[in-house]
């Protein structure tokens, strides 16, 4: 039996299905660039749903209130930071296009505001973010207005504890209490947010849950729930629960595996093919061949070999968790093309002695270098190939975890990379 | 029940042997995406993440004996959502094979024995001569009673036919009239096809028993039968696992075959595109809503989204674009219904229904009146959980709806239609 190879032709191929990869595809669609995207689930399935731009500046204490001002200071503090060369106008435009697209596809998001929002973490601590899903938006508002509120959690649900949330917030939010209820028709064993979210797509489940919520709400008008309000139509599910209870309801992210990330992934997998994008989900590019007039991506799925012939490629393969970078005894390497990786000289320098050291660890800034057109640099310090571009957290000189800037780096650099691709294709 | 002890497997060693196909189980991030998205999580106090962790910790005795391996349908959804591409179903297969024959679920073992008891490879043990008789008998009746079909054909052992068509035993055994719509479709498109008296049956429970030798033997009989008739295409009927069991075995056992393996769904789509099957949705005047179940055995585990897209093309033509509502999640990310992996035969009804709750919720959320699916196991399971959880949807084969749309669905071929559909054709 011979296997039939499948071939696709496209202008742009995006490698990676994290926020950077998805953002790149959105920007390319908006520019009418034909696009193919390949990549298996990355960190996107673990995200809280919050889109951070910048929550913390290295060397400064306290959280960032105005990320637009703070981004400008990066130019002095960390001139090599991928965001330091991108104008705030471009960053804002990138966030607007990204969140607008999500909204049009069924997951409404708040637009980027002038300042950061103080949002709730799964543990009930406070964090700064720029945009959040509409299902979560009433939470920070209720907190700011100090409205009486009940945090409801569920028997058998790990990764979200109302007691923990209340314990962390009680000094800052006096009228907060918690209640634990059973999720309708799921009484035994561990239950997962994903399963609850899918069950809440069903009318009967919503009706039963609404009754249970009304009982514990008593006179309180605002209810915080773990993020389980539907998978495919979260805004509708939340509106329905509000209608059925007559209460204001909002979501708080849970620990991974959490619903907001799975929502995004499934929405993209659903919508991209409908918009004419060739999506090869859950597969890795195995190798790339560069030619004068095209780049060929080699992939293999259950059914057999696939090749994609592209005019330009964006590499958005993330860091260690997603497999874009690999750590070896001898050092850190880039997995697909063996691009040079900027990294500490010796392995001993990867981490400081104390894991919690406030200065952060050098390994968390490792990554690839790009030029001003977001072309990754090869070993000779020149662009690796005119058809190769890079975006996302694979880029060096940033510690997105410490600076609370994961989505910001992914979205803004993807925007610039697609702009460069567009210039290259249509020059 | 025998008191034979289940031997203990060294899972870590087995996992290493599986590389590279098995991906590195040690790479597991313990992120839990697999368990979160697996309908078997929690049954027998087990889930895929736990299974991997216990394997890596060397808790081999527990894993060698947990009945959970019979609740995992080997649907590979866990692998699909795993960032490290880890495939738990391979370990489950090894664990199943390791159970002493006497301890394995009797329904699966017996089905596998029956498959190997005749040249038919039928899990219901229907011998070749009985199959030939039933086909002949039904054909005669259709020719006599249905006008326009006086010359309907159901060729048997026709050498050199283009398509070798297989048949799930459930039809000749329990509901022979269900074979007729497909014959009519072949008739309409002018397909050059044949049944075979040998190796005609589709189902294969030997794969589910974890028995490599038996699995190979069944497939060998079928491959030989196709070669004997010199057909170009082995055309799989509306049955999910029967495609996978043949397609996967040919690669797995390195078998030499000189024909192609195809699914009926692809051809339905092709024939409609070519105008050979002039279906339309004009009949659906009441806008009855339909959804579709992607069998993991042909979608996620084999063809990928391409065949799922073909299915949607066919469904939309049949019922009208506005009357099709997709389940969420769908295509390669769809949930297994819980009928697969031999679950329907394993006698673990309570577990099987708990597993099927995911599917029930998915269907209920669409509010569709019918689920279309090209899979027998999906069909049976979705009917069962529908009754159990109080759903009011029906489940139909594609061939039924195709013939309904073409106005050629015979009276005895309407078993799965509810009153709403019957009212439209009477
Ligand atoms: C637990 C967790 C919580 C988070 N919470 C937040 C938050 O609250 N707010 C926020 O702003 N950000 C958050 N983030 C960060 C955010 O998800 C990341 O910043 C963002 O996803 C990084 O984008 P990326 O696309 O560059 O990389 P990644 O998300 O790592 O994606 C890389 C992609 O490349 C793919 N890939 C790798 N190699 C190949 C290959 N050879 N072929 C094809 N594909 C390949 C991977 O499978 C993956 O899909 C969180 C991340 C994690 C892990
Ligand atoms: S999804 Fe994969 S990496 Fe995550 S826990 Fe499951 S097997 Fe491990
Ligand atoms: S193969 Fe399917 S049933 Fe088995 S563990 Fe994976 S997701 Fe669960
Ligand atoms: S019964 Fe259907 S969904 Fe379930 S394993 Fe078989 S093909 Fe998959």
């Amino acid at each position: 039996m011979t296997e039939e190879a499948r071939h696709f032709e496209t202008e742009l191929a995006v490698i990676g299905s994290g926020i950077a990869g998805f953002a790149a595809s959105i920007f390319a669609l908006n520019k009418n660039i034909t696009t193919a995207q390949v990549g298996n689930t990355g960190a996107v399935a673990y995200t809280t749903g919050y889109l951070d731009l910048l929550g913390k500046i290295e060397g400064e204490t306290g959280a960032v209130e105005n990320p637009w001002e703070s981004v400008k200071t990066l130019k002095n503090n960390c001139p090599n930071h991928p965001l330091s060369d991108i104008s705030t106008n471009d960053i804002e435009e990138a966030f607007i296009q990204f969140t607008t697209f999500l909204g049009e596809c069924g997951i409404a998001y708040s637009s980027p505001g002038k300042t950061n929002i103080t949002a709730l973490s799964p543990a009930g601590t406070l964090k700064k973010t720029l945009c959040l899903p509409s299902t979560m938006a009433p939470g920070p508002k209720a907190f700011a207005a100090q409205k009486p509120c009940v945090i409801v959690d569920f028997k058998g649900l790990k990764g979200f504890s109302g007691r923990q949330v209340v314990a962390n917030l009680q000094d800052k939010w006096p009228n907060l209490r918690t209640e634990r209820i059973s999720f309708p028709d799921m009484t035994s064993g561990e239950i997962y947010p994903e399963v609850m979210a899918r069950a809440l797509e069903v009318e009967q489940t919503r009706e039963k849950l609404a009754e249970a919520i009304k009982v514990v709400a008593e006179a309180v008008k605002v209810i915080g729930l773990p993020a389980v309000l539907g998978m495919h139509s979260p805004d509708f599910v939340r509106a329905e629960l509000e209608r059925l209870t007559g209460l204001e309801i909002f979501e708080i992210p849970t620990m991974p595996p959490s619903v907001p990330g799975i929502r995004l992934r499934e929405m993209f997998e659903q919508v991209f093919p409908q918009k004419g994008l060739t999506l090869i989900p859950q597969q890795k590019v195995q190798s790339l061949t560069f030619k004068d007039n095209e780049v060929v991506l080699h992939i293999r799925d259950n059914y057999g070999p696939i090749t994609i012939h592209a005019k330009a490629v964006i590499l958005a393969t993330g860091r260690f968790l997603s497999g874009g970078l690999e750590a070896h005894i001898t050092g850190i390497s880039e997995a697909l093309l063996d691009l040079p990786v900027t990294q500490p000289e010796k392995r001993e320098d990867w981490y400081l002695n104390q894991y919690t050291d406030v200065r952060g660890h050098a390994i968390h800034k490792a990554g690839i270098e790009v030029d001003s057109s977001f072309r990754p640099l090869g070993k000779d310090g020149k662009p690796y190939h005119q058809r190769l571009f890079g975006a996302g957290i694979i880029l060096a000189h940033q510690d997105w975890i410490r600076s609370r800037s994961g989505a910001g780096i992914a979205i803004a650099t993807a925007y610039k990379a697609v702009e460069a691709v567009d210039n290259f294709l249509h020059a | 029940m025998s008191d034979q002890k289940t031997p203990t497997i060294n899972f870590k060693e087995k996992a290493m042997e599986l590389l590279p196909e098995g991906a590195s189980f040690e790479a597991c991030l313990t992120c839990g995406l697999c368990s979160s998205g697996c309908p078997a999580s929690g049954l027998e106090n087990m889930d895929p993440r736990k299974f991997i962790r216990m394997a890596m910790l060397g808790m081999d005795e527990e894993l060698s004996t947990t009945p959970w391996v019979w609740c995992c349908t080997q649907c590979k959804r866990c692998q699909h959502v795993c960032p490290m591409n880890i495939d738990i179903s391979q370990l489950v297969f090894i664990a199943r094979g390791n159970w002493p024959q006497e301890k394995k679920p009797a329904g699966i073992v017996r089905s596998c024995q029956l498959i190997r008891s005749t040249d038919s490879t039928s899990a219901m043990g229907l011998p070749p001569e009985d199959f030939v008789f039933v086909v002949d008998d039904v054909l005669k009746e259709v020719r006599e009673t249905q006008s326009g079909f006086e010359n309907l054909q159901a060729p048997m052992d026709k050498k050199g036919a283009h398509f070798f068509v297989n048949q799930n035993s459930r039809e000749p055994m329990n509901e022979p009239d269900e074979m007729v719509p497909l014959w009519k479709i072949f008739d309409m498109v002018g397909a050059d096809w044949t049944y075979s008296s040998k190796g005609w049956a589709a189902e294969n429970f030997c794969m589910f028993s974890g028995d490599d030798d038996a699995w190979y033997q069944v497939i060998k009989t079928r491959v030989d039968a196709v070669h004997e008739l010199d057909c170009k295409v082995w055309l799989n009927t509306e049955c999910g696992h029967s495609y996978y069991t043949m397609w996967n075995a040919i690669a797995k056992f390195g078998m030499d075959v000189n024909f192609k393996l195809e699914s009926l769904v692809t051809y339905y789509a092709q024939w409609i595109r070519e105008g050979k099957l002039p279906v339309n949705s004009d009949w659906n005047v009441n806008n009855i809503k339909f959804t579709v179940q992607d069998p993991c055995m042909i979608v996620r585990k084999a063809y990928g989204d391409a065949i799922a897209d073909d299915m949607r093309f066919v469904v939309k033509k049949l019922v009208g674009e506005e009357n099709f509502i997709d389940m969420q999640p769908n295509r390669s990310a769809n949930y297994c219904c819980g009928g697969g992996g031999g679950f329907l035969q394993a006698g673990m009804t309570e577990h099987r229904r708990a597993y099927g709750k995911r599917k029930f919720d998915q269907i209920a959320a669409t509010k569709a009146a019918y689920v279309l699916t090209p899979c027998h196991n999906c069909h049976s399971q979705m009917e069962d959980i529908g009754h159990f959880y109080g759903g009011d949807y029906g489940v139909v084969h594609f061939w039924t709806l195709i013939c309904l749309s073409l106005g050629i669905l015979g009276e005895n071929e309407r078993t799965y239609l509810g009153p709403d559909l019957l009212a439209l054709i009477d």
Side-chain angles (χ1 to χ4, degrees), chain A residues 46, chain B residues 25 27-35 48-49 52 78 81-86 88:
Chain A
Y46 308 133
Chain B
F25 292 87
C28 173
L29 310 163
T30 69
C31 70
L33 274 170
C34 52
S35 301
R49 170 174 54 182
I52 296 278
C78 47
V81 299
C82 171
M84 308 313 282
N85 211 22
I86 290 172
I88 293 135

Side-chain angles (χ1 to χ4, degrees), chain B residues 360 363 380-393:
Chain B
F360 178 79
I363 299 171
S380 306
Q381 166 76 350
M382 289 188 299
E383 280 201 320
D384 179 75
I385 55 175
H387 292 146
F388 182 74
Y389 290 112
D392 54 4
Y393 57 84

Side-chain angles (χ1 to χ4, degrees), chain A residues 256-267:
Chain A
S258 56
V259 168
I262 301 173
R263 265 180 204 151
L264 288 174
R265 192 190 68 210
E266 287 188 1
M267 186 275 282

Side-chain angles (χ1 to χ4, degrees), chain A residues 1 4 40-41 45-46 186 192 194-195 198-199 201-203 232 257 265-266 269-270 273 282 302-303 321, chain B residues 29 31-33 35-37 80-81 83 247 257 260-261 300 302-303 328-331 335 358 361 365 367:
Chain A
M1 203 172 63
E4 276 171 51
N40 58 355
T41 317
Y46 308 133
M186 284 178 209
Y192 294 88
E194 178 175 357
V195 177
R198 297 199 197 280
E201 295 280 346
V202 181
E203 192 176 343
H232 179 57
R265 192 190 68 210
E266 287 188 1
E269 287 184 0
Q270 195 73 187
Q282 313 303 354
N302 285 338
Y303 198 59
L321 182 66
Chain B
L29 310 163
C31 70
L33 274 170
S35 301
S36 163
H80 183 77
V81 299
W247 175 79
V257 306
K260 280 172 74 171
L261 278 82
R300 177 168 52 250
Y303 284 94
Q328 300 291 339
N330 55 49
R331 299 175 298 155
Y335 282 116
R358 292 291 79 68
D361 283 348
K367 297 193 175 170

Side-chain angles (χ1 to χ4, degrees), chain A residues 51 95 99 108-113 117 130-134 137:
Chain A
L51 302 178
F95 266 87
T99 50
Y109 261 79
S110 65
S111 309
I117 298 167
L130 186 62
C131 301
L132 37 73
S134 297

Side-chain angles (χ1 to χ4, degrees), chain A residues 315-385:
Chain A
L315 187 72
T317 48
R319 283 186 177 163
F320 306 100
L321 182 66
S322 298
L325 298 182
E326 288 173 348
H328 312 277
I329 302 288
T330 49
I332 300 164
S333 67
E334 187 279 320
L336 204 47
L337 294 165
D338 198 20
L339 295 169
V341 175
T342 300
Q343 55 186 294
E345 239 171 68
K346 302 188 300 289
R347 208 183 145 102
E348 299 89 85
D349 303 335
W350 284 7
Y351 293 99
L352 296 171
N353 286 339
Q354 289 283 319
Y355 192 76
T356 50
D357 197 308
V358 287
R359 287 168 296 169
H361 306 279
I363 190 175
H364 291 146
K365 286 194 177 175
I368 60 171
E369 301 281 345
V370 288
D371 72 0
S372 58
S373 303
F374 285 81
R375 283 192 174 89
L377 303 182
K379 298 217 157 75
D380 56 1
K382 297 198 188 106
Y384 180 85
H385 195 278

Side-chain angles (χ1 to χ4, degrees), chain B residues 235-411:
Chain B
L235 188 58
N236 189 53
T237 185
E238 295 189 19
C239 177
H241 81 276
S242 56
Y243 181 85
Y244 185 79
T245 175
M246 184 96 163
W247 175 79
N248 188 253
I250 286 169
K252 179 180 163 109
F253 302 120
M255 298 168 91
D256 216 3
V257 306
N258 59 13
F259 53 87
K260 280 172 74 171
L261 278 82
E262 301 273 15
S263 159
L264 252 181
V265 175
T266 324
Y267 279 93
Y268 288 154
Q270 184 182 325
W271 291 329
I272 293 173
R273 285 192 185 102
E274 292 171 351
K276 290 182 180 166
L277 267 186
V279 296
N280 61 58
S281 58
D282 297 349
W283 58 272
N284 193 5
V285 290
N286 293 340
N287 294 312
I288 298 171
K289 303 293 183 225
F290 290 78
T291 187
V292 63
Q293 153 72 358
D294 295 290
C296 41
M297 292 285 187
I298 53 172
V299 180
R300 177 168 52 250
K301 289 175 73 172
Y303 284 94
D305 285 351
I307 199 164
D309 293 338
D310 272 349
M311 262 166 63
R312 280 157 183 76
F313 167 78
V314 175
V315 179
K316 287 176 186 172
K317 287 281 172 205
L318 282 171
V319 307
E321 185 128 19
E322 67 285 9
N323 297 317
F324 168 68
I325 303 159
D326 228 331
M327 272 184 221
Q328 300 291 339
N330 55 49
R331 299 175 298 155
S332 292
N334 189 29
Y335 282 116
C336 171
C337 60
F343 220 166
L344 276 163
Q345 289 72 24
M348 306 166 92
T349 310
E350 209 174 296
H351 285 13
R352 173 172 57 73
R353 286 177 175 157
Y355 187 121
K357 181 66 166 49
R358 292 291 79 68
K359 181 58 57 188
F360 178 79
D361 283 348
Q362 270 183 295
I363 299 171
T366 67
K367 297 193 175 170
Y370 289 91
V371 191
L372 272 161
T373 187
C375 173
H376 276 68
N377 282 337
C378 298
H379 189 116
S380 306
Q381 166 76 350
M382 289 188 299
E383 280 201 320
D384 179 75
I385 55 175
H387 292 146
F388 182 74
Y389 290 112
D392 54 4
Y393 57 84
V395 187
V396 281
H397 298 291
F398 275 72
W399 56 58
T400 309
L401 220 61
I402 290 173
C403 287
L404 181 149
S405 160
L406 294 167
I408 54 171
L409 192 66
E411 293 219 7

Side-chain angles (χ1 to χ4, degrees), chain B residues 34 37-40 48 68 71-78 88-89 355:
Chain B
C34 52
C38 163
W68 183 78
C71 303
C72 158
T73 60
Q74 304 179 53
C75 73
K76 293 195 196 247
R77 192 175 194 279
C78 47
I88 293 135
S89 74
Y355 187 121

